[in-house]
Amino acid sequence: FMNARNEFSNTIPKLVMNDYGASFGGPLSAPKLYSGKDKTFFFMDFEGLQLPRNQAVIVSIPTAAMKAGDLSVYLPKTQVKDPLGGTFPGNIIPLTRISGLSQNAMNFYWPMSPNTGAPGALANNYVQSFPTTIVNNQGDMRVDHNITSKQTASARFTYKRRETLGAPTGATVLGGSQALENDYAFSGSHNYILSPNMVNSLRVGLSGQNTATGYNYTTGQVLSGLGLTLPFPPPPGAAS
């Protein structure tokens, strides 16, 4: 039921999951060079996940009449006040009183028209489906070695790469996001039996994570859409 249809959407989000993997292990040997029988062993595994799902995003957008300054739909409950005094007759704001920045913002962020809900609906009146795909690949590798009857050593390396697409949380016209995550970990150990009731164990490890998030727009595109110009150059490395 967690993947049921959104009550404001006419479609059911796509859900197809492919989860697969494999593992392999045994003595570590190289013909004519090294035989690890009863001495050196390895183990490897891999798991992949492909989840090409979708998410319906429901937002509230202004109608064409509202973008043109006609807010009569809010009458008689709400009267739109004129900052210069009184109210706007019929709750209609003349286009000459709407700043160029406000008009650019409405046209840039809400170029579309309502496509869901009852006729004339003002809330939850626009729906759009966005991919929220998850691609995850990870693997492990481990080597164990019997040095002597009293000493053993092992090493392990793990790596994971995860790529996800996210639905927008603001204006849908800006699209969703792309996130990339790389995780890795290395560990090693050495065990030495000092006596029948005493064992010395030495362990070391290193782990790390790198993440990045990208969007379908740049600062320059937003500034251009709003008709704005920065009074100074953007800082080094800023998206243009």
Side-chain angles (χ1 to χ4, degrees):
F1 69 94
M2 295 299 291
N3 292 305
R5 177 180 64 85
N6 188 296
E7 61 268 25
F8 297 104
S9 175
N10 295 323
T11 60
I12 299 177
K14 180 181 179 182
L15 177 62
V16 178
M17 183 174 72
N18 298 300
D19 193 359
Y20 50 91
S23 61
F24 179 66
L28 184 62
S29 301
K32 298 182 181 181
L33 295 177
Y34 179 77
S35 175
K37 183 179 180 182
D38 300 328
K39 193 171 186 180
T40 306
F41 305 88
F42 77 97
F43 178 81
M44 302 173 64
D45 68 73
F46 168 80
E47 181 182 7
L49 172 67
Q50 309 285 331
L51 184 56
R53 59 185 183 177
N54 290 273
Q55 177 181 338
V57 176
I58 312 294
V59 294
S60 302
I61 65 172
T63 63
M66 295 172 70
K67 288 189 285 187
D70 185 354
L71 304 180
S72 58
V73 68
Y74 293 112
L75 289 174
K77 185 177 181 180
T78 302
Q79 292 277 347
V80 179
K81 293 184 178 180
D82 187 339
L84 301 181
T87 61
F88 288 105
N91 267 13
I92 298 177
I93 305 173
L95 285 177
T96 55
R97 296 290 302 279
I98 302 176
S99 71
L101 175 60
S102 297
Q103 294 186 44
N104 290 340
M106 288 187 290
N107 294 328
F108 178 73
Y109 289 114
W110 303 295
M112 57 284 198
S113 300
N115 63 2
T116 190
L122 302 180
N124 299 322
N125 58 1
Y126 183 80
V127 60
Q128 185 174 348
S129 180
F130 290 90
T132 54
T133 303
I134 297 177
V135 177
N136 189 89
N137 294 301
Q138 62 186 55
D140 304 278
M141 181 176 181
R142 179 184 175 109
V143 176
D144 292 273
H145 180 63
N146 296 320
I147 303 173
T148 67
S149 61
K150 292 186 177 182
Q151 295 187 67
T152 61
S154 67
R156 177 180 60 82
F157 178 72
T158 298
Y159 178 76
K160 182 180 79 171
R161 181 182 177 89
R162 179 182 176 91
E163 300 175 67
T164 60
L165 298 179
T169 56
T172 57
V173 71
L174 298 179
S177 61
Q178 308 88 40
L180 174 64
E181 176 184 329
N182 289 311
D183 303 286
Y184 60 89
F186 170 81
S187 64
S189 66
H190 176 268
N191 298 306
Y192 185 23
I193 302 176
L194 300 176
S195 67
N197 58 0
M198 183 177 294
V199 178
N200 180 72
S201 181
L202 173 64
R203 298 177 182 272
V204 295
L206 175 67
S207 63
Q209 181 185 77
N210 297 313
T211 60
T213 303
Y215 299 92
N216 295 326
Y217 62 90
T218 65
T219 302
Q221 290 173 325
V222 175
L223 291 175
S224 176
L226 297 179
L228 296 175
T229 301
L230 290 177
F232 46 81
S240 59

